[in-house]
Amino acid sequence: MPNASASHLSRRGLLAAGGAIGIGAALSACGGGDSKSSAGTAKAGSGAWSFKDDRGKVAKAGSTPAKIVAFTGTAAALHDYGVEVVGVFGPTKTKDGKADVQAGDLDISKVEILGNVWGEFNVEKYAALGPQLLITGMYDKGALWYVPDESKDKVLELAPSVALMVARTSMPAALQRHAELAASLGADLKAQKVTDARARFEKAAARLRAAARANPKIRVLIGSAGADLFYISTPEPSADLRYFKELGVNIVVPDKVDKQGWFESLSWENADKYPADIIMMDNRTSALQPAALKSKPTWGELPAVKAGQVIPRSTTDPIFSYDKCAPALDALAEAIENARKVG
């Protein structure tokens, strides 16, 4: 996902833009893969802190970091565990000044915003914060989400960093890693708020499994809308979609995905290529929302749209806390429970 220039946009940048919204730029190949890592530790007595991330790198500090800067969605996940940050980068504030969906429950007035869109990261402001830890995700191992390649070296010189895989893994594994990180930073995973959220997540997962089992023929298409193209996601690389599939959801799998295996790009004239009973649409501010698609004749003619069976996908770029992922599972379960076969 980062690394945009006037003539080139990598797949990371493409995904950050909601599937290359209207750009049509070339994709660059990036490596990917799963990683196995251990939880962090805070040594009793010494106050020393360490955490092994999904690059296999160990971040260390003389004490538990307090001045944390993180990708907005990661900061939102940490907030749900009671761990606060001093700065964020990534979609944080909308044009009207409200919190972006990726900010979750963060009070965005209390954090320094180092960059609000793809390619923005104010290194000077970052340095001025006196950062003790940088945290972000990885859609490809080693590629730091929303940290621009051109300034990455400068950024990484200023503080230890932690990067967690948020793709090519399943949602429960990513949730567990974020919980481990939060715990290393002082979160109490036995706090009632945390245990209640996890219980809701597990209940929602059971509900979705039951809904999928009871309605196996209901096909769910995962889409993202741009001005010129309609992007159909395939489930394997995405943590949320992989988990939905594991729970038995009948997800439409496109047959001509990009060479990195994330999505198929369709012109709006061909938006009806895949029959679907439910359409789950990318709800990030970088993507066009259903209300803005009324000018696309083929959109309005899709059976799922006619039937009112379109729901938001709030986990396109997930906030990996149980509190934020549970509602997404419940919403999909409810949609499948109530869906009519129309595709």
Side-chain angles (χ1 to χ4, degrees), residues 202-239:
E202 292 171 351
K203 183 178 180 180
R207 179 185 179 185
L208 181 54
R209 187 188 296 277
R213 185 182 297 120
N215 302 277
K217 293 184 179 180
I218 295 296
R219 291 168 295 191
V220 181
L221 183 145
I222 314 299
S224 184
D228 302 311
L229 296 171
F230 186 36
Y231 302 91
I232 312 300
S233 293
T234 193
E236 186 58 26
S238 297

Side-chain angles (χ1 to χ4, degrees), residues 233-304:
S233 293
T234 193
E236 186 58 26
S238 297
D240 61 335
L241 304 187
R242 181 185 289 199
Y243 189 45
F244 298 161
K245 187 176 179 182
E246 289 170 356
L247 292 174
V249 176
N250 184 0
I251 295 179
V252 172
V253 179
D255 54 26
K256 293 184 178 180
V257 297
D258 63 296
K259 65 180 181 179
Q260 287 84 26
W262 285 86
F263 49 76
E264 179 174 356
S265 305
L266 299 175
S267 65
W268 280 107
E269 290 77 10
N270 296 312
D272 60 353
K273 179 178 179 180
Y274 297 104
D277 304 295
I278 295 171
I279 299 177
M280 195 175 194
M281 291 292 287
D282 181 354
N283 79 331
R284 294 176 298 172
T285 52
S286 54
L288 294 180
Q289 298 307 303
L293 297 177
K294 295 177 181 179
S295 63
K296 310 288 185 185
T298 49
W299 169 258
E301 292 301 313
L302 295 176

